[in-house]
Amino acid sequence: MSNRSGLLDRVAAIGAGVLAALDHLGGLARLGWRLLLGAPAALRRPKLVLDQIHYLGNHSLVIILVSGLFVGLVLGLQGYYTLRRYGSEEALGLLVTLALVRELGPVVSALLFAGRAGTALTAEIGLMKAGEQLSALEAMAVDPVERILAPRFFAGVVAMPLLAGLFSAVGVIGGWLVAVVVIGVDPASFWSQMTQGVDFWNDTLNGVVKSVVFGVSVTLIALYSGFTCRPTPAGVSQATTAAVVVGSLTVLGLDFMLTALMFGAL
Amino acid sequence: MDTSSRRGLADVLASKPALHFDSVGFGYGDRPVFLDLSLEVKVGEVLAIMGGSGVGKTTILRLIAGLVSPTQGGLMVFGEAVQTRDAVALYSMRRRMGLLFQFGALFTDLSCFENVAFPLREHTNLSDELIRDIVLLKLEAVGLRGVASRMPSEISGGMARRVALARATALDPELILYDEPFAGLDPISLGVTARLIRRLNDALGSTSVLVTHDVAETFQIADRVAVLAPSPSGASFVAVGTPQELRASSDPYVRQFLAGDENGPVSFHAEAAPLREDFS
């Protein structure tokens, strides 16, 4: 009897978990829809969006540029050790660039963005909620989604591809430093293989599409986490952690799906 | 102070009530907060809602502002039911009211000046020069023109509340809601704020509802006082009347509340098991 009730409890717990997940998905979709409806109001006041692009973008620059450089340096080294076996060191530029533009640029910069800007967004919105600032906006007949969340959302969507582009650009420079300056690969081969092998539409643009999708998902999750958190110190803390964990996992999951769709693996 | 003499304008404007509670009930899930609240507040009136901590005074303000909806009965604000208004109509109603939050709820990334300017920038097309003049006048009215450039983190909690009062009245609202406007104020600020609430109400011809448990100051400025008493089935008004009428009230809760007496229908101690059970 107790075994049966224990089993039922476990099934009920799984059901409750699924329901909670569906509830969050529905909440995310509803917030996304409200943000889209708030787009005209946000775009009528571009300064609000520009301020947020500056806040989210500029403040993420250091971590994005430094990480991009190191990822490029490591890619250069690892690529060289592999390509040397086949006598194809000249293709190092192509390898580094394709890896960055197609995958590592959008994905790693989105993960860093979730950790740096996403957590800042969640904490900011959560603290505004805890301090009754969002209620004060409602009481002043100002829609907090339109006035506070929408500018941050569109700023995140714009900032993400720009940061991913910078990450890839700096990464390529890192790869060039290792390949040309340290190892001694012919610079002309490095650049010519890269320019001939990278297709703008298939490689670069797909990378940009990825980073836009990641920008939408990471920013939406961060804003949703802050907007729905419990208005207590512990609630804001949990929401901030959830924002970075869920945001990062979503980026990785979406990356797999997008890669399969874009590059014809499935 | 004679309350009838300062209500000349109010009497003229009081053709229809600013607020009308018709058997309003409200609760969170299974937990009832209010039961059968009925009250009418006339235009130009200063109404104080008093009651112990946690009885639900702030929730009444949230009901009036449409931040939460009654679960029973009807609540009319400016002659229209709050719960049947759509989002646009709710926002339109809120543009006619100001709400002072208990802890101010100032925007922490904006200066005091920008906090007061916020509703003006959001809801009007006034020039920057005019907004500047209005903001400085509003801050002067609460005695804080000198802190206009400071951030909320650089002023005291009491000052933040006064800046929030300036923000709540920036658009000269028809209805002003005050949530504990006297809490945490020093005696000088308390007296000045109380008189300011009365003066603002009379000068703007507006209606004010304040929730508080500060008896002395409230009785000096309120036209009427409604006393909210707790009950397991939901709090309700046990007395509504002028300060003089309430002082003469024979209701045991009103008498206990006004006298600050430990003995009465409300126990100081929350319901608990006998003391020896916890310490045996």
Side-chain angles (χ1 to χ4, degrees):
Chain A
M1 189 68 187
S2 63
N3 279 347
R4 195 176 155 196
S5 74
L7 183 68
L8 284 175
D9 285 348
R10 276 199 289 275
V11 171
I14 292 169
V18 171
L19 283 178
L22 288 174
D23 187 45
H24 281 303
L25 269 178
L28 263 176
R30 284 182 62 195
L31 180 63
W33 178 243
R34 285 180 70 187
L35 289 168
L36 287 180
L37 291 180
L43 298 176
R44 267 199 303 275
R45 298 166 75 175
K47 188 177 180 304
L48 292 177
V49 181
L50 290 173
D51 283 350
Q52 289 303 319
I53 291 176
H54 175 260
Y55 178 74
L56 298 175
N58 275 27
H59 291 188
S60 304
L61 263 183
V62 173
I63 191 168
I64 290 284
L65 294 180
V66 173
S67 303
L69 182 67
F70 279 103
V71 167
L73 290 170
V74 171
L75 269 179
L77 283 173
Q78 294 284 14
Y80 174 72
Y81 293 133
T82 306
L83 292 175
R84 192 177 54 177
R85 293 184 201 170
Y86 308 101
S88 305
E89 296 93 329
E90 291 78 15
L92 196 53
L94 177 61
L95 174 82
V96 168
T97 310
L98 280 181
L100 282 168
V101 169
R102 282 179 163 206
E103 284 299 328
L104 294 174
V107 173
V108 178
S109 55
L111 294 176
L112 294 171
F113 188 73
R116 170 64 187 82
T119 49
L121 278 177
T122 306
E124 185 189 19
I125 302 297
L127 287 172
M128 286 186 81
K129 186 178 181 183
E132 290 192 305
Q133 294 176 39
L134 299 183
S135 296
L137 282 167
E138 291 262 17
M140 281 190 275
V142 177
D143 183 358
V145 172
E146 213 172 80
R147 177 63 174 74
I148 302 292
L149 271 64
R152 284 159 177 76
F153 175 71
F154 292 108
V157 174
V158 171
M160 187 63 255
L162 296 175
L163 291 170
L166 286 168
F167 183 98
S168 297
V170 175
V172 170
I173 293 170
W176 172 83
L177 278 173
V178 167
V180 176
V181 177
V182 178
I183 296 170
V185 171
D186 177 44
S189 303
F190 182 91
W191 293 115
S192 65
Q193 290 253 358
M194 187 184 88
T195 50
Q196 283 169 20
V198 176
D199 180 70
F200 176 75
W201 297 106
N202 198 32
D203 299 320
T204 312
L205 210 60
N206 276 338
V208 172
V209 170
K210 273 187 177 181
S211 60
V212 171
V213 172
F214 297 159
V216 169
S217 51
V218 166
T219 315
L220 183 59
I221 288 166
L223 292 173
Y224 175 78
S225 300
F227 197 55
T228 55
C229 74
R230 280 184 296 118
T232 60
V236 176
S237 161
Q238 285 167 3
T240 308
T241 309
V244 73
V245 171
V246 177
S248 302
L249 293 177
T250 304
V251 164
L252 295 170
L254 283 174
D255 183 51
F256 171 73
M257 287 190 270
L258 288 172
T259 304
L261 283 172
M262 288 171 170
F263 303 107
L266 290 181
Chain B
M1 199 188 294
D2 179 16
T3 55
S4 62
S5 63
R6 64 193 178 209
R7 290 188 55 207
L9 179 60
D11 290 339
V12 175
L13 292 171
S15 54
K16 64 177 180 180
L19 291 174
H20 181 78
F21 287 77
D22 182 16
S23 300
V24 169
F26 178 76
Y28 293 106
D30 295 334
R31 189 170 66 87
V33 177
F34 302 125
L35 179 72
D36 202 22
L37 297 182
S38 290
L39 180 72
E40 200 169 271
V41 185
K42 293 192 165 51
V43 172
E45 198 174 16
V46 174
L47 175 87
I49 297 172
M50 307 191 81
S53 298
V55 76
K57 300 188 297 294
T58 300
T59 308
I60 291 189
L61 298 187
R62 297 178 74 85
L63 280 168
I64 297 170
L67 296 171
V68 290
S69 287
T71 47
Q72 283 172 0
L75 170 57
M76 312 271 274
V77 179
F78 305 129
E80 275 186 61
V82 174
Q83 61 267 44
T84 56
R85 295 181 193 226
D86 60 12
V88 176
L90 261 182
Y91 278 17
S92 160
M93 178 193 83
R94 287 180 194 149
R95 270 197 283 274
R96 297 167 65 187
M97 60 171 67
L99 172 56
L100 174 69
F101 282 79
Q102 190 169 355
F103 300 106
L106 291 179
F107 302 125
T108 44
D109 57 345
L110 297 181
S111 67
C112 293
F113 179 96
E114 285 302 327
N115 263 284
V116 181
F118 188 87
L120 295 163
R121 295 198 199 286
E122 289 295 319
H123 294 308
T124 71
N125 293 317
L126 298 175
S127 66
D128 282 349
E129 289 76 23
L130 200 50
I131 287 176
R132 175 188 169 277
D133 292 349
I134 294 171
V135 170
L136 292 182
L137 282 172
K138 295 290 177 187
L139 284 171
E140 176 70 11
V142 297
L144 292 176
R145 187 168 45 85
V147 305
S149 60
R150 289 202 212 163
M151 298 302 282
S153 58
E154 296 168 340
I155 58 176
S156 70
M159 289 165 98
R161 198 100 46 78
R162 285 153 67 192
V163 173
L165 176 56
R167 185 179 69 178
T169 56
L171 289 169
D172 295 346
E174 295 168 54
L175 174 64
I176 313 176
L177 309 173
Y178 300 90
D179 189 2
E180 301 284 4
F182 308 128
L185 295 184
D186 62 73
I188 298 170
S189 303
L190 200 153
V192 170
T193 304
R195 286 190 291 278
L196 182 66
I197 289 172
R198 183 75 240 185
R199 227 174 34 241
L200 275 171
N201 191 74
D202 295 345
L204 299 174
S206 53
T207 308
S208 299
V209 177
L210 53 146
V211 302
T212 176
H213 35 226
D214 195 302
V215 176
E217 298 298 332
T218 304
F219 273 36
Q220 279 187 31
I221 62 161
D223 294 313
R224 283 194 305 153
V225 178
V227 179
L228 197 59
S231 156
S233 55
S236 57
F237 293 128
V238 290
V240 180
T242 63
Q244 290 82 3
E245 287 168 347
L246 283 192
R247 280 200 186 96
S249 171
S250 59
D251 183 276
Y253 179 78
V254 175
R255 293 179 72 84
Q256 184 193 7
F257 185 80
L258 296 186
D261 201 344
E262 191 179 344
N263 301 310
V266 177
S267 169
F268 173 70
H269 293 282
E271 206 172 310
L275 195 62
R276 64 172 169 272
E277 281 186 19
D278 277 336
F279 291 97
S280 60

